[in-house]
Amino acid sequence: MYGDFGSDAGNSRRLCWLHNQGLVPYSVAWELQRSLVTQRLRGSGLNDVLILLEHPPVYTLGTGSSLDFLKFDPSQTEWEVHRIERGGEVTYHCPGQLVGYPILNLLHYRQDLHWYLRQLEEVLIQVLAVYGLKGERVVGYTGVWLEGRKVAAIGIKVSRWITMHGFALNVCPDLEGFKSIVPCGISDKPVGSLAEFIPGIEFEQVRKLVASAFSEVFEVELIEPQL
């Protein structure tokens, strides 16, 4: 499925599969990402992929994330918890949060992880701007803030310049689950959502805006697979 769409010779933009999914268990999406990365490590000619989806409630910890940022014992809880290979500390995923997993070959963009992180932030900042909201970066941190509240978290893994994991934008989630952790290890900056600023915001509209902004920021042509 996410193989070579065909030659993009003569096309000024690199081709990228856009795969819109609904509510997907974290372990399923994680395995899909790993499979896509493995394919691309074996064959650099494959097209890039952007997966947009939601997850059921789940906590994830980065490779070096401290358990001190969990307010519960992960060995004695009904919460789903995964330690994964991305950078960053603990975060929470749940319905109403738009999660994006770009599988990009940075050899075709820029071999610079700081540049890549800033590009992901720019995608989300542009989406907020459509609603008249001023998304901001905070020096020393990764993510996007809105009036002092963190509305988007970013954590990535890159193998031989192939990316995985990505961003999570709080559109209209139930934020209660964040109370069980110190989100991203930041104790003095609260988590927020777009719905707090734009009541009645439509999740599917945000999904389309994110895809459009991603296309513009990364200068790719998004192609949806014919199922």
Side-chain angles (χ1 to χ4, degrees):
M1 192 175 178
Y2 306 103
D4 189 356
F5 184 81
S7 173
D8 57 357
N11 189 332
S12 60
R13 292 194 169 205
R14 183 168 170 79
L15 300 179
C16 179
W17 292 106
L18 170 62
H19 195 48
N20 282 306
Q21 296 187 340
L23 193 65
V24 180
Y26 190 84
S27 57
V28 173
W30 189 13
E31 182 54 39
L32 173 59
Q33 289 185 77
R34 295 166 84 174
S35 174
L36 292 171
V37 169
T38 297
Q39 292 171 23
R40 280 146 183 80
L41 289 174
R42 291 174 179 168
S44 60
L46 298 179
N47 289 324
D48 296 329
V49 179
L50 172 61
I51 306 169
L52 297 176
L53 48 68
E54 296 173 83
H55 287 308
V58 59
Y59 293 97
T60 69
L61 300 99
T63 303
S65 181
S66 172
L67 293 178
D68 292 341
F69 295 130
L70 294 177
K71 298 179 181 179
F72 59 89
D73 184 343
S75 66
Q76 299 181 4
T77 181
E78 295 181 354
W79 292 111
E80 185 177 350
V81 182
H82 296 281
R83 184 176 288 279
I84 56 178
E85 63 272 66
R86 64 163 172 79
E89 292 290 345
V90 61
T91 195
Y92 175 64
H93 299 302
C94 65
Q97 180 190 75
L98 181 63
V99 178
Y101 294 131
I103 312 296
L104 306 183
N105 185 341
L106 294 182
L107 292 176
H108 298 286
Y109 300 87
R110 188 180 300 181
Q111 297 170 53
D112 183 334
L113 299 189
H114 293 288
W115 172 87
Y116 178 57
L117 291 170
R118 301 296 81 77
Q119 294 294 94
L120 292 179
E121 291 169 347
E122 182 61 25
V123 169
L124 304 175
I125 288 171
Q126 289 192 13
V127 171
L128 269 58
V130 173
Y131 293 98
L133 302 173
K134 183 175 175 53
E136 297 179 323
R137 297 178 174 92
V138 174
V139 176
Y141 295 110
T142 299
V144 177
W145 278 259
L146 185 54
E147 295 187 12
R149 301 181 188 183
K150 190 170 188 179
V151 295
I154 295 174
I156 64 170
K157 163 71 175 178
V158 178
S159 301
R160 282 161 41 197
W161 299 111
I162 307 295
T163 70
M164 66 181 294
H165 299 295
F167 59 84
L169 176 62
N170 295 335
V171 181
C172 52
D174 181 348
L175 298 176
E176 282 296 309
F178 284 99
K179 294 181 179 179
S180 296
I181 60 174
V182 179
C184 303
I186 305 172
S187 60
D188 61 345
K189 290 180 171 51
V191 171
S193 72
L194 302 192
E196 294 176 293
F197 298 86
I198 309 290
I201 192 169
E202 296 183 2
F203 187 89
E204 290 306 315
Q205 181 184 51
V206 175
R207 182 199 292 266
K208 292 176 182 177
L209 291 172
V210 166
S212 178
F214 186 91
S215 174
E216 291 305 310
V217 170
F218 284 95
E219 299 182 349
V220 296
E221 180 182 353
L222 295 176
I223 305 292
E224 291 199 61
Q226 299 298 314
L227 301 179

